Amino acid sequence: MELTDHRTSEAVISRIATDSRVSTASLEHTATVVGALLNGLKRRRGTQPNGLLLGRVQSGKTTAMLLLAAAARDAGEQAVVILLGTTNLLYKQNRDRLDQAFGLNTGQSDWAVIEPRALSTAGLFSRKTISSGRTLLIPILKHYKWIDRASKLIQELGIGAHLTVIDDESDIASLGDGSTIEDAPPTNAALRHLLGTASEGIYVHVTATPYAPLLLDPNDRLAPAEFALLDPGTGYIGSQQFFIDGTAAMRRTVSIDEIAQVSLGRTAPALATALGIFVAVSIKAKIDNPEMRATSMLIHPSSSVVVHRKVSRAIQLLKNEWMKALAKDDIPKDLETGCAVAGLATPKPARLRTQLSLMKTHIVNAVGTDEIDWESAPLHVLIGGNKLSRGFTVEGLTVTFVARKPGQQADTMLQRARFYGYRIGLGGLMHLFASRASMETWKQAALMEKQLWDRLYEIRNSGGGVADLRRVVNSGASVSATSNISGNLSRVRRSPWYPSKPPANEIWGRIGSELQVALEKCDYDVVERILASWSVLEPEGNQAVSTLAFGLPMVQRFMDRFREAGGKWKIAERPQRVRMDSKGFFVGLLSSGEWKEFEKSNSCGLYLAVVETEPTVMRTIPILHIAGGSFKVN
């Protein structure tokens, strides 16, 4: 049965628009984007019907996922399996949104929901459902046992050629290591069984951190063949605003000693400051936005559940101490400071005491809560680790305190940034407390994300595909894109840094002169722009793909040090013959004694090497050098 009137999609759009601030026009645009992706994947059935639906962290991917499921129903799919996360907390949050958007509790007639525990006995019911024109909807936790049960039902019904699988946070748990299906990790093997070896089942990755899916071997059953972008809407605040522009929030660096105290479950002055700011901000936010449901503070001290309990007790002791002081009409210094920071005239002690009494503290971990009732209090403090690091949306998040050691993968740090998202009405009220190391790692992850998305837009606008996108998963960042998968090994690229291949001919001739002029003028912003945008051409199939020569994160880090060092640079006194191997890679570029002398005399500098690419043709290649500097490269 092929449905063409888009009735299900229209109904979902109507319900979401009614229950949220998202406009109908924005939802219709998203529906068009996901519908086009689905149509492309339907044409790929029998080959590689896998897609990648990309959005920013907390930018509306769940809504897009629901619209994609509705589009599958309208396109005649007989079953839609939605993997709603790897934790009960995330499953519950996503399931509530699914039930509401699809009207599952209101007598709708489009969907027949197969609850996870009914999968083993749903065969007869499912056959009747399909024959009546309804679509099977199977929302399950991403765990191999549930996926195996869904797989057996799909095989029993024989509808693998009319199946769409939507995988939320697909870069976690879903991907394999390149091994055979018999030796693959359990969740990956279960997914491959569900999709079928004939590549009939459509599979869609939904994620904000696509590095791992893009590093899959192109022949992997889950490797994406097409992608679609979800542009964030008005009011979105993400890595650009937090760590590149620096306009989103007040960032406060916490000392190593205080980080250590909090990570052990103890109170530190910075944590008390953060809590004082949160209490004041919760009052100010409600004054500015009377309809705001709740504000929250997130504390991420460690992955240890023991530490979570200790931090919760420390917060309770601090709260009790402040309540006693306020009862005596004394306003604790941290609360007074918080009011000043929030731009709030200090309320009377009774008002602050009332606000403190309404504050609820939640421990969110493997043994803690799996559900938060945001309506139960005007302000909430969430304390946890991994469960608060991915997918989960924190209502009205204003103050974040992170004491955990930073991860070394960009996807880990981006997903840990729960403070990204739509923060309408919270402008000027957001605060981030973290160590200098965490701040720097987030910045590097932000630069890597910016490079990826700049390239995404370029590929989309030029009609490119996933093959082009794989070229820019990681280009010289000080953090790796993701953990190693599919036999892809990280390596360290040590200084000096220079392009692996020649740049495009049309710009190679002028780059040396432009770079030299900018250096002579000490115009380091221009120097940075030239290095960051300098592209090389690499063959990809039947076309040449433009990629950055150095990578934006590498250039950013180098230029920070270059400015500090006073902008030391040198142009080669004499040319040297450059050699390239059969694949066009530079070899033997750094053999001259002149370069070695420069390297010894400059701890950080830029060397313009003059090379003879062919008889009488001279070109200039910039070489970046930081003594002891290195970058992880995937």
Side-chain angles (χ1 to χ4, degrees):
M1 178 180 63
E2 191 77 12
L3 305 177
T4 57
D5 60 3
H6 304 289
R7 182 175 59 83
T8 303
S9 295
E10 290 173 0
V12 171
I13 288 173
S14 177
R15 292 191 192 97
I16 295 176
T18 300
D19 297 330
S20 71
R21 296 179 178 180
V22 185
S23 69
T24 299
S26 175
L27 292 168
E28 288 175 345
H29 173 73
T30 301
T32 300
V33 171
V34 299
L37 175 64
L38 184 68
N39 289 336
L41 297 180
K42 287 188 70 177
R43 291 190 292 269
R44 286 184 174 273
R45 273 202 159 111
T47 55
Q48 193 81 330
N50 304 330
L52 190 58
L53 187 58
L54 302 177
R56 307 277 187 161
V57 173
Q58 298 200 125
S59 67
K61 294 186 302 300
T62 302
T63 297
M65 183 171 64
L66 300 178
L67 290 171
L68 177 61
R73 151 78 184 169
D74 286 335
E77 295 292 89
Q78 295 176 333
V80 177
V81 175
I82 307 184
L83 307 179
L84 294 177
T86 57
T87 66
N88 289 326
L89 181 71
L90 187 53
Y91 177 87
K92 178 66 169 61
Q93 187 178 70
N94 284 337
R95 181 62 193 270
D96 287 345
R97 294 183 63 181
L98 173 69
D99 290 353
Q100 190 173 25
F102 285 8
L104 298 183
N105 300 317
T106 60
Q108 57 76 41
S109 59
D110 291 338
W111 305 97
V113 181
I114 309 296
E115 297 294 347
R117 297 190 180 279
L119 283 168
S120 301
T121 58
L124 180 59
F125 170 77
S126 299
R127 287 191 183 89
K128 292 180 178 179
T129 291
I130 293 171
S131 64
S132 71
R134 301 175 77 192
T135 302
L136 296 180
L137 180 63
I138 306 175
I140 54 177
L141 195 68
K142 192 191 301 186
H143 188 279
Y144 73 92
K145 290 184 179 179
W146 299 118
I147 299 172
D148 276 337
R149 292 178 188 179
S151 177
K152 290 176 182 176
L153 176 62
I154 297 300
Q155 290 172 16
E156 177 186 341
L157 298 172
I159 57 173
H162 300 281
L163 166 71
T164 291
V165 178
I166 303 172
D167 187 353
D168 189 25
E169 306 294 351
S170 67
D171 54 310
I172 288 294
S174 304
L175 309 181
D177 54 7
S179 60
T180 63
I181 194 168
E182 292 78 16
D183 299 322
T187 300
N188 175 254
L191 264 176
R192 288 156 71 177
H193 280 301
L194 172 63
L195 292 167
T197 55
S199 297
E200 292 177 335
I202 288 174
Y203 175 75
V204 182
H205 300 263
V206 181
T207 182
T209 47
Y211 306 112
L214 290 173
L215 288 171
L216 290 171
D217 185 283
N219 296 318
D220 190 288
R221 176 59 182 94
L222 302 187
E226 296 192 12
F227 75 93
L229 302 182
L230 300 170
D231 300 311
T234 303
Y236 179 76
I237 297 175
S239 60
Q240 176 80 31
Q241 292 77 19
F242 263 92
F243 296 104
I244 299 178
D245 301 340
T247 58
M250 177 69 72
R251 293 183 299 175
R252 297 171 176 268
T253 302
V254 183
S255 71
I256 294 176
D257 289 341
E258 290 188 276
I259 288 289
Q261 290 297 308
V262 176
S263 66
L264 292 172
R266 301 168 186 166
T267 302
L271 184 59
T273 298
L275 187 64
I277 291 174
F278 171 59
V279 173
V281 161
S282 67
I283 298 174
K284 183 69 163 57
K286 192 67 174 179
I287 293 172
D288 293 347
N289 307 274
E291 297 181 359
M292 183 166 288
R293 184 164 60 162
T295 52
S296 57
M297 174 180 180
L298 188 153
I299 304 175
H300 193 154
S302 164
S303 60
S304 167
V305 296
V306 174
V307 171
H308 299 164
R309 288 195 293 268
K310 288 182 178 180
V311 171
S312 179
R313 287 196 293 269
I315 293 294
Q316 188 61 45
L317 288 172
L318 194 57
K319 174 183 174 180
N320 293 341
E321 179 185 325
W322 289 357
M323 290 285 282
K324 290 178 182 178
L326 291 167
K328 298 176 182 179
D329 286 339
D330 293 331
I331 298 179
K333 182 180 178 181
D334 288 307
L335 282 174
E336 194 170 18
T337 300
C339 291
V341 169
L344 175 72
T346 305
K348 292 181 179 180
R351 175 69 180 89
L352 290 171
R353 198 168 190 271
T354 298
Q355 193 73 2
L356 265 176
S357 69
L358 294 172
M359 184 177 76
K360 281 193 171 182
T361 301
H362 311 270
I363 297 177
V364 185
N365 57 28
V367 296
T369 183
D370 268 339
E371 186 174 0
I372 296 172
D373 182 2
W374 299 107
E375 305 282 1
S376 64
L379 61 165
H380 301 260
V381 176
L382 280 63
I383 303 166
N386 294 337
K387 278 195 174 185
L388 293 176
S389 292
R390 174 179 285 270
F392 183 67
T393 299
V394 182
E395 183 82 17
L397 181 59
T398 54
V399 178
T400 302
F401 193 104
V402 179
R404 189 172 180 179
K405 182 180 178 181
Q408 293 306 304
Q409 288 83 40
D411 53 3
T412 298
M413 293 304 289
L414 287 170
Q415 292 290 354
R416 194 174 290 177
R418 293 296 95 196
F419 40 85
Y420 294 168
Y422 294 99
R423 303 298 179 215
I424 298 172
L426 294 177
L429 299 179
M430 298 176 66
H431 297 263
L432 173 62
F433 291 75
S435 68
R436 188 177 302 278
S438 288
M439 294 289 193
E440 178 59 27
T441 308
W442 264 314
K443 180 181 178 181
Q444 292 298 316
L447 292 170
M448 183 182 292
E449 184 186 42
K450 179 179 179 358
Q451 176 180 326
L452 175 66
W453 277 82
D454 286 348
R455 182 67 174 132
L456 285 172
Y457 288 128
E458 180 185 341
I459 292 170
R460 182 181 69 177
N461 295 339
S462 62
V466 172
D468 305 329
L469 186 54
R470 286 194 177 95
R471 318 291 306 175
V472 290
V473 168
N474 190 358
S475 295
S478 59
V479 292
S480 59
T482 184
S483 58
N484 301 327
I485 61 167
S486 302
N488 180 70
L489 300 177
S490 294
R491 64 186 186 280
V492 174
R493 183 176 177 185
R494 290 185 169 80
S495 173
W497 303 299
Y498 58 91
S500 58
K501 288 190 175 185
N505 288 330
E506 62 268 22
I507 68 167
W508 198 5
R510 70 172 189 270
I511 189 170
S513 59
E514 290 180 353
L515 196 56
Q516 187 172 348
V517 168
L519 287 166
E520 288 172 348
K521 294 181 177 180
C522 297
D523 194 340
Y524 300 139
D525 289 341
V526 173
V527 172
E528 183 171 344
R529 187 163 60 249
I530 291 173
L531 293 175
S533 61
W534 187 26
S535 59
V536 300
L537 288 180
E538 299 186 18
E540 178 72 21
N542 295 323
Q543 61 179 344
V545 178
S546 175
T547 63
L548 299 181
F550 294 101
L552 182 60
M554 178 183 286
V555 171
Q556 289 272 1
R557 181 177 176 185
F558 169 76
M559 289 304 300
D560 286 346
R561 295 283 297 275
F562 186 69
R563 290 182 175 95
E564 292 175 4
K568 297 177 181 178
W569 65 281
K570 180 180 180 180
I571 189 167
E573 296 176 0
R574 54 185 178 275
Q576 59 177 331
R577 178 74 179 178
V578 67
R579 293 184 295 113
M580 288 180 278
D581 63 17
S582 59
K583 296 183 179 180
F585 286 89
F586 285 131
V587 292
L589 188 61
L590 304 180
S591 60
S592 70
E594 190 176 358
W595 160 257
K596 293 179 181 178
E597 186 64 30
F598 174 80
E599 189 178 22
K600 289 179 182 178
S601 61
N602 291 280
S603 60
C604 177
L606 180 60
Y607 185 85
L608 302 181
V610 179
V611 297
E612 186 179 20
T613 57
E614 51 189 274
T616 72
V617 178
M618 305 298 177
R619 300 294 192 206
T620 302
I621 296 176
I623 303 175
L624 317 182
H625 169 59
I626 298 176
S630 63
F631 287 87
K632 283 189 176 181
V633 182
N634 286 94

